[in-house]
Amino acid sequence: MSEKESFDVFCPQCNILVDAKVIAKGAGGFRSNAINPMDEVDAEYHGDYYYVFLCRRCNQPFLVRQSLYGIPGEFETVTEETVLYPNESKVLPEALPDSVKAAYDQAARSFHVSLFEPCVLMSRKCLEAVCKILNADGKNLSARLDRLHQDGHIDSRLLNWAHQIRLVGNEAAHDIDFIVTKEDARDIFDFTEAILIYIFSLTKRFEALQSRRK
Ligand SMILES: [Zn+2]
């Protein structure tokens, strides 16, 4: 079979097509049309291999499933190669202004080391930074978020999410009996991320799309 030593793959970290080196490989399930062992020699079979490999530039890991089809002793061909990880369709928060990115990175780092309260506080701070960058004024965060909505930066659904992040953040900051669970922190972080992607990343990509089509 075609032993792979490396893969060409789009690395989301490097943001380019890279050469990635294989560090582990394993066989998945095999299915054969053979009815008895005597038939096996010329019966069609289907099989999967799994590869783990690393980007040679940044060490980003990938998991790939390679599907094969063949007849023993005659031929074997790769029918499909699927990148299972990282999930390519995910839109990443990019094009974030520095102050927003600093708060976002801290929220992400907090969550990944199970510091759920700081994760929620930094998520709320992301929203503060967004309001400042977009000149959404008001006497408190609640008013500034409403202003964000009035100025057309977010729609009413995102405004609801933003207020929820603000409220949980407030409780985490002021109520000493309030426990932030992992589930709450993940939701707060995910909704914060979605708001940032909507305001900054997708807006920038859409502008780029429009200018390409001119
Ligand atoms: Zn890379």
Side-chain angles (χ1 to χ4, degrees):
M1 71 149 290
S2 53
E3 282 285 333
K4 281 230 173 205
E5 299 293 323
S6 64
F7 272 92
D8 289 333
V9 68
F10 179 80
C11 175
Q13 292 295 326
C14 298
N15 214 26
I16 51 167
L17 194 69
V18 297
D19 174 42
K21 68 167 186 269
V22 174
I23 58 164
K25 179 197 161 188
F30 268 79
R31 301 179 305 282
S32 169
N33 291 344
I35 295 163
N36 62 58
M38 294 298 283
D39 285 344
E40 222 161 70
V41 184
D42 44 29
E44 293 177 4
Y45 64 88
H46 297 265
D48 292 327
Y49 277 98
Y50 292 91
Y51 289 87
V52 177
F53 52 92
L54 300 178
C55 169
R56 287 186 207 268
R57 291 167 51 102
C58 73
N59 285 329
Q60 159 78 38
F62 297 87
L63 173 65
V64 164
R65 181 180 58 224
Q66 186 185 59
S67 300
L68 305 168
Y69 160 69
I71 295 178
E74 292 191 22
F75 73 93
E76 183 176 81
T77 181
V78 175
T79 52
E80 203 182 3
E81 281 180 354
T82 311
V83 178
L84 302 174
Y85 178 85
N87 188 339
E88 287 180 297
S89 65
K90 188 175 190 292
V91 180
L92 296 168
E94 53 193 6
L96 301 181
D98 288 347
S99 60
V100 178
K101 187 172 185 339
Y104 169 77
D105 285 347
Q106 285 197 50
R109 232 173 287 142
S110 299
F111 184 79
H112 289 128
V113 295
S114 299
L115 294 172
F116 303 129
E117 198 176 291
C119 171
V120 164
L121 295 176
M122 293 316 292
S123 294
R124 186 185 184 282
K125 196 167 175 184
C126 280
L127 298 182
E128 289 277 11
V130 168
C131 291
K132 192 159 186 205
I133 284 283
L134 297 176
N135 301 315
D137 297 330
K139 63 183 194 311
N140 52 33
L141 182 57
S142 177
R144 291 193 282 278
L145 291 176
D146 288 339
R147 186 60 194 263
L148 219 49
H149 174 54
Q150 286 154 19
D151 290 351
H153 293 295
I154 54 174
D155 63 20
S156 55
R157 183 184 310 195
L158 264 62
L159 177 65
N160 268 336
W161 297 356
H163 277 307
Q164 194 60 45
I165 294 162
R166 174 182 65 79
L167 289 170
V168 176
N170 284 353
E171 270 189 89
H174 302 303
D175 182 349
I176 52 164
D177 295 325
F178 182 69
I179 307 262
V180 180
T181 64
K182 182 178 185 178
E183 288 68 35
D184 285 350
R186 176 183 290 131
D187 283 346
I188 292 298
F189 179 69
D190 283 353
F191 284 114
T192 302
E193 187 174 71
I195 291 171
L196 299 183
I197 286 170
Y198 180 94
I199 296 180
F200 298 105
S201 318
L202 289 178
T203 301
K204 189 168 176 228
R205 264 172 69 176
F206 188 70
E207 284 165 2
L209 170 69
Q210 279 187 314
S211 69
R212 275 203 312 278
R213 289 179 54 82
K214 259 177 201 156

